Amino acid sequence: MSAGSGAALEAVRYGASELARAGAVLSVDLDAVRANYRLLGAQAPRAACAAVLKADAYGLGMERVAPALAREGCRVFFTAHVAEGMRLRQLVPEHCAIYVLHGPPPGTAPDFYQYDLIPVLNDPGQLREWRAAARQLGRRLPAAIQLDTGMSRMGMAPAELAAESAKPDWLSGLDLKLVMSHLACADEAGHPMNAGQRRRFERLREVFPGVPASLANSSGVFLGPAFHYDLLRPGAALYGINPQPDQPNPLRQAVQLAARIVQVREIAEGAAVGYGARWVAPGPRRIATIALGYADGWLRSLSGRGQAFVDGVAAPFAGTVSMDSITLDVSGLPAERVAPGRLVDLLCAQQDLDAVARDAGSIGYELLTRLGGRFHRRYLGA
Ligand SMILES: *Cc1c(COP(=O)(O)O)cnc(C)c1O
């Protein structure tokens, strides 16, 4: 997104009316997502690479991201909720597998077999529910089992697994496709949890000889071959978030964001800007108000810390982030570059998701998944 392009050029590129109405423009680069998928898969040539599309493909839009990844050769997808899986089923070819991480909420078994979804069974209750569904239906039903190897969030605890697997018919009616676990600290390569979880996974999965295994999320992919098993499960890295925060990001940014200038004003020394009058002009200043705020996912914690870019030049946030607007100090910029109606960049070459998230005291995941519904969305590539 070039903030430098004129309104006429923008009209040609994006269609005048939609863009003219939009407070902010989110560009999603599907070619970048596809390139990231290839790069992740290449880290583990002997494993298959799935894609995690929960939360509307981390906010990028499942409708466009899923078919792009399927075209890139992705055959296995994960969602969190069954409803997400049902939506995804309409978007990818029939032969693609769709796993639902939260498993089947009580009473939803018919959704799973009607939409050909595979539940990840996380506890003895879900296991029981799924066995009952198979019995009722009179055929074997596909399933994955998640094991808790130390995160205490989802998956069967070692004691539960021991108790369940002692029962002779504990997997009856189930066609077990995958055994998986999830890493708590994969983004810290040196963290002792990683080796510990892997050891526990090794031990627990002995109960499932011959069943394909999966442990690595995005960051786990970069922990080395011992973590790859049969299936990688990256989400964030597909969308450009750095899986190794202490190293240069090998992935391409998949989103760009630009917001429109609503108003520009000159203020005198001592004038206050924004809620709480927390920012006071240290001299004569030019302030530009842009049409983006915390309701759009630009976190309020960026007040006084964030910045936008005008043709590559930084314009710091002045004052608190409002619900629908943010005030920028654009005093250093030529007036014609900050005229009302022009776009300024929030996610761009100068500032990626991880950088903004750091300023906000958050992580790229949170920022990305909160990007709001009011943006004009453009999809590039694929
Ligand atoms: C969200 C999630 C993933 C993907 O994690 P990223 O860090 O986004 O790559 C993989 N597995 C499970 C169980 C998850 O919940």
Side-chain angles (χ1 to χ4, degrees), residues 52 54 58 78 101 146 153-154 180-182 215-219 233-237 365:
V52 180
K54 59 196 184 189
Y58 289 49
F78 286 84
L101 289 166
Q146 177 155 218
R153 184 182 71 168
M154 261 191 264
M180 57 173 275
S181 188
H182 192 52
L215 182 60
N217 67 332
S218 296
S219 299
R233 297 194 316 270
Y365 291 68

Side-chain angles (χ1 to χ4, degrees), residues 209-223:
V211 177
S214 175
L215 182 60
N217 67 332
S218 296
S219 299
V221 171
F222 295 88
L223 292 178

Side-chain angles (χ1 to χ4, degrees), residues 14 129 161 274:
Y14 320 128
E129 177 112 358
L161 179 66

Side-chain angles (χ1 to χ4, degrees), residues 41-49 225 228-232:
Q43 308 304 307
R46 280 199 294 276
C49 189
H228 292 161
Y229 294 97
D230 302 296
L231 183 69
L232 310 175

